Amino acid sequence: MAQVSLLIGFTLILLGLYGALTNRDILRMIVSFTIADTGVNVVLVSVGYMAHRTAPILDSAVPAGQAAARIIDPVPQVLVLTAIVIGLGVTALMLAYAYRLFRLRGSLDISQFMDLKW
């Protein structure tokens, strides 16, 4: 199961990068970056998966002496939660910039923005 989710995660990353590099529309590029970000999150969750382990909650089901051998490491899950929040903020910022560009220039085609090209 972990190999399937790794394959799906890497496929999402590649699809997102391909979409970001081949599209000229800024909104499609933003969606492609978001797809790649989701792929990274899936890969992180897949790497942190351990078969036949339980949630990292110490109670009567898991004695403290056996915790190291029976619970899952919560660090990858915390990293994914943090990455989701950061990805949401970055996506919102990119959308705000795209909206501002559309209001100023009337287009979202990246080939029409030649101001900073040499």
Side-chain angles (χ1 to χ4, degrees), residues 17-81:
L17 290 177
Y18 176 77
L21 294 175
T22 57
N23 285 321
R24 293 214 175 272
D25 187 28
I26 293 176
L27 286 180
R28 289 183 181 178
M29 292 172 73
I30 293 171
V31 170
S32 298
F33 280 124
T34 305
I35 290 172
D37 182 46
T38 303
V40 170
N41 292 338
V42 170
V43 168
L44 282 174
V45 168
S46 301
V47 168
Y49 174 74
M50 295 178 173
H52 310 295
R53 300 246 180 146
T54 185
I57 300 171
L58 297 177
D59 58 1
S60 61
V62 179
Q66 299 176 356
R70 293 185 55 193
I71 65 172
I72 295 175
D73 185 20
V75 174
Q77 298 167 2
V78 172
L79 288 174
V80 168
L81 286 174

Side-chain angles (χ1 to χ4, degrees), residues 23-30 94-118:
N23 285 321
R24 293 214 175 272
D25 187 28
I26 293 176
L27 286 180
R28 289 183 181 178
M29 292 172 73
I30 293 171
M94 287 191 294
L95 287 172
Y97 282 146
Y99 177 73
R100 181 78 176 150
L101 279 172
F102 184 76
R103 295 277 292 173
L104 290 175
R105 302 287 179 94
S107 174
L108 288 176
D109 188 14
I110 200 165
S111 64
Q112 294 181 359
F113 301 115
M114 305 286 275
D115 296 345
L116 297 178
K117 291 187 178 180
W118 296 8

Side-chain angles (χ1 to χ4, degrees), residues 81-96:
L81 286 174
T82 305
I84 289 170
V85 172
I86 292 171
L88 179 69
V90 169
T91 302
L93 188 65
M94 287 191 294
L95 287 172

Side-chain angles (χ1 to χ4, degrees), residues 1-12 42-43 46:
M1 187 65 181
Q3 290 83 11
V4 173
S5 58
L6 276 172
L7 180 67
I8 290 171
F10 284 124
T11 304
L12 285 172
V42 170
V43 168
S46 301

